[in-house]
Amino acid sequence: MMMIGGHMGAAEDSQITPSRRGPRGGGDTARAEILNASIAVFAEVGYQSATIKAIAAQAGVDTKLVHYYFGTKADLFAATMSFLFADLGLRDQLLAVRTPGEGQGARYIKTALTFIEESDVGPAFLALIRSVGTHDESRRIMLTFIESVLHMIEGGEPEAQMRYRASLLGTQMLGLFFVRYILKNPVLANVPIDQLAHDIGPTIDRYLGGSL
């Protein structure tokens, strides 16, 4: 099992155990409890089988509180993805390596893979990707998440072109995550991060701002 921000997170083959019920220190604490519980439940049973009731039980709160903070299950899943991607640091790390010039794609790949492999929340992020499946609603959420990388694409182009770049970047990164960490294809799973960064980096350079 893994801990995120002092609460229970998700790990492969983890089992869900109810959180301790009790008074909350405030809205931010309750919200964090729910997000951590959602990571555990979505990772354990997948998006389609997860329920607000199970997430509330894991967080030790009433289901009405989950709806109050996050709305529907789809809204909660999207918030959970954002929580792992943005609030826990990956987005800022990726933005930090967005410096003009050759080699930013390699830095982008190295930063993302290092985060997945060495941070406490990497396994939880992969578990959420694994939980998506082929259900229409969950696929729409993932497509929205891919578009959230739009702000990483430099401006100066029509929005449609920037969204195209963001989608290409998203498919490259999610494809790499899926093949290396979920399928565990030995051809990619055993390649050092530095080599992957060197080999895939030029493609990322082109998606971020090169000629398409």
Side-chain angles (χ1 to χ4, degrees), residues 14-195:
S14 65
Q15 300 214 350
I16 299 174
T17 54
S19 299
R20 179 179 59 83
R21 296 177 183 272
R24 295 292 180 263
D28 288 345
T29 301
R31 195 173 187 279
E33 292 270 3
I34 294 167
L35 285 170
N36 278 280
S38 72
I39 293 170
V41 175
F42 284 131
E44 180 73 16
V45 303
Y47 176 82
Q48 213 168 340
S49 297
T51 64
I52 293 293
K53 182 178 180 180
I55 291 168
Q58 171 74 6
V61 301
D62 191 273
T63 57
K64 293 179 181 179
L65 194 61
V66 180
H67 288 296
Y68 174 78
Y69 281 117
F70 298 102
T72 66
K73 184 174 77 168
D75 294 333
L76 176 57
F77 187 85
T80 303
M81 289 292 294
S82 177
F83 175 64
L84 286 172
F85 181 65
D87 296 355
L88 296 180
L90 178 56
R91 181 185 63 187
D92 289 342
Q93 289 185 35
L94 292 177
L95 286 171
V97 300
R98 284 298 319 281
T99 54
E102 187 177 352
Q104 66 174 324
R107 294 191 297 273
Y108 192 98
I109 292 289
K110 185 173 182 178
T111 298
L113 296 188
T114 299
F115 182 90
I116 292 295
E117 294 186 14
E118 297 184 6
S119 77
D120 290 339
V121 301
F125 186 72
L126 291 175
L128 287 185
I129 294 174
R130 186 187 299 110
S131 78
V132 172
T134 59
H135 187 260
D136 283 345
E137 185 180 42
S138 56
R139 284 192 294 127
R140 285 195 298 271
I141 295 168
M142 184 57 73
L143 288 172
T144 300
F145 173 73
I146 290 174
E147 285 205 344
S148 73
V149 303
L150 177 64
H151 66 278
M152 296 183 180
I153 307 298
E154 294 178 354
E157 294 182 313
E159 183 176 346
Q161 179 74 352
M162 293 173 64
R163 289 190 177 279
Y164 182 56
R165 289 185 182 277
S167 295
L168 290 175
L169 176 61
T171 56
Q172 181 73 51
M173 298 306 297
L174 287 176
L176 177 59
F177 292 160
F178 193 82
V179 174
R180 180 175 173 88
Y181 300 116
I182 297 175
L183 293 182
K184 297 181 179 179
N185 183 325
V187 176
L188 287 183
N190 299 321
V191 177
I193 288 177
D194 284 343
Q195 182 178 335

